[in-house]
Amino acid sequence: MDNFQTVLRFFMNQKATIGYSFMALLTIGGERVFSMVSFQCPCNRNQNFAYGLTFLLGPATVLLVFGLFFSSRLWRLYTGCCLNPMKLCPRGNCLGCLRALISIFTGACVAPVMWLVVALLNGTFYECAISGLNDNVVMDLFCKNKSLTCQEELARVPCDRSKLSKDERMDLLLMFRAQSQILGWGIVIVAAFGGLLGTCCTNCRSKVSYLQLTFWKRYVEKEKERFDSFALDYAAKLAERNLQSFFENKDPEPFPFPSHKAWEEISAHYTFSRSEQRYSTLQQYVERTDRDFPPEKRPVLDLEHGIEMR
């Protein structure tokens, strides 16, 4: 039993690494499926660039949108800001809000960057796109010291329909693939150094020590887990109380419920302060001496916004 708990604890501690590894495997698999099943380069000078670039950047854009769409941190920060723009920058803390948005966008970029790296290292989409560029620089780069036929047949090189000799065609394909892989490794290097510099800058400017920062991260994770569990249990109790009142045709029993203002306060962006030994907006709210304690005895559904208010 102890060994099982040790293994389980290891996987829980490494869940971010495991998640990124699983995402990388899905990206590699998805790229291979796109390359083998749906991608067919038209080998036309007027269409190659648009077609290849669509397959290279299209899935990356979709993954970025999905990453933002499924980011609970983004919706926690953004929800309600059209009615109350100051919610984005509470207490004038625009710099902290900007850092939070950059962190959210960076997290959403992980999957798109993985896709670009895998697609460029494979080279299929780049070969099609670059062969369709009717640009003097491209022509001089790939067809320098070659016959005029090279310029005319460059768009057909990704297919096996060009009039070039087999050796010339293979040389061009190797040049296309080399450029694509250089770009792929360039993105890997830039992302690695960018992540290292960002982590170093964040830790260097941290207001707390490394161990306290580690504790803060653990606390935030556990609070989110317990909040989801507690909210589910509390919602079940409220639903049971309302259904019992409806079917038994009697007044509902008093039920304590947070006010709308309380929900707003614990949903705000939190910035750590040395003067307060608090690790979240929830802890900051419950430890306040001037908080509003009266319970919600009868939650009323606001039909306009679909929320329960006083």
Side-chain angles (χ1 to χ4, degrees), residues 71-87:
S71 173
S72 58
R73 293 176 61 198
L74 174 64
W75 298 121
R76 179 173 181 173
L77 190 66
Y78 179 77
T79 301
C81 69
C82 291
L83 300 177
N84 181 18
M86 288 302 296
K87 186 178 179 181

Side-chain angles (χ1 to χ4, degrees), residues 150-196:
C150 174
Q151 298 182 13
E152 296 174 350
E153 296 294 318
L154 189 64
R156 292 193 177 97
V157 168
C159 306
D160 199 11
R161 302 202 306 260
S162 68
K163 298 177 182 178
L164 298 173
S165 65
K166 184 177 180 180
D167 291 339
E168 284 183 313
R169 179 176 175 274
M170 187 56 64
D171 287 343
L172 288 171
L173 282 176
L174 289 175
M175 291 177 66
F176 291 159
R177 191 151 300 179
Q179 275 197 356
S180 180
Q181 291 177 347
I182 288 172
L183 286 174
W185 279 111
I187 292 177
V188 172
I189 293 170
V190 169
F193 274 98
L196 177 62

Side-chain angles (χ1 to χ4, degrees), residues 20-260:
Y20 285 135
S21 301
F22 183 69
M23 188 186 301
L25 291 175
L26 285 179
T27 304
I28 295 172
E31 193 276 337
R32 295 308 300 166
V33 169
F34 269 85
S35 300
M36 293 167 50
V37 177
S38 61
F39 183 78
Q40 296 290 335
C41 186
C43 294
N44 184 296
R45 188 180 299 276
N46 296 325
Q47 299 178 2
N48 277 19
F49 180 72
Y51 188 82
L53 204 64
T54 299
F55 272 80
L56 188 63
L57 298 181
T61 305
V62 172
L63 289 172
L64 177 62
V65 172
F66 280 167
L68 293 173
F69 185 79
F70 290 109
S71 173
S72 58
R73 293 176 61 198
L74 174 64
W75 298 121
R76 179 173 181 173
L77 190 66
Y78 179 77
T79 301
C81 69
C82 291
L83 300 177
N84 181 18
M86 288 302 296
K87 186 178 179 181
L88 281 176
C89 301
R91 302 176 185 176
N93 187 19
C94 294
L95 186 60
C97 180
L98 180 62
R99 284 200 299 265
L101 289 174
I102 292 175
S103 176
I104 292 169
F105 184 78
T106 304
C109 283
V110 173
V113 169
M114 284 185 179
W115 170 268
L116 286 176
V117 169
V118 172
L120 287 171
L121 290 178
N122 185 33
T124 306
F125 305 144
Y126 181 84
E127 291 170 5
C128 183
I130 199 67
S131 65
L133 274 179
N134 190 13
D135 189 87
N136 293 331
V137 176
V138 175
M139 295 297 179
D140 292 340
L141 178 64
F142 293 112
C143 295
K144 189 176 182 180
N145 300 327
K146 289 185 172 67
S147 63
L148 186 62
T149 309
C150 174
Q151 298 182 13
E152 296 174 350
E153 296 294 318
L154 189 64
R156 292 193 177 97
V157 168
C159 306
D160 199 11
R161 302 202 306 260
S162 68
K163 298 177 182 178
L164 298 173
S165 65
K166 184 177 180 180
D167 291 339
E168 284 183 313
R169 179 176 175 274
M170 187 56 64
D171 287 343
L172 288 171
L173 282 176
L174 289 175
M175 291 177 66
F176 291 159
R177 191 151 300 179
Q179 275 197 356
S180 180
Q181 291 177 347
I182 288 172
L183 286 174
W185 279 111
I187 292 177
V188 172
I189 293 170
V190 169
F193 274 98
L196 177 62
L197 290 176
T199 303
C200 290
C201 181
T202 302
N203 288 355
C204 181
R205 295 174 58 85
S206 175
K207 298 178 180 180
V208 297
S209 65
Y210 175 75
L211 291 179
Q212 191 174 8
L213 183 62
T214 303
F215 174 80
W216 185 7
K217 292 178 180 178
R218 297 288 185 271
Y219 171 81
V220 171
E221 292 176 1
K222 292 299 180 183
E223 183 186 88
K224 184 179 183 303
E225 291 176 6
R226 295 296 300 154
F227 179 86
D228 292 340
S229 175
F230 200 90
L232 184 63
D233 182 58
Y234 209 76
K237 291 179 180 178
L238 179 60
E240 183 178 359
R241 169 256 201 184
N242 292 340
L243 288 170
Q244 186 176 9
S245 173
F246 174 76
F247 282 104
E248 295 180 1
N249 195 22
K250 65 179 183 180
D251 292 335
E253 298 176 0
F255 197 89
F257 203 76
S259 65
H260 179 64

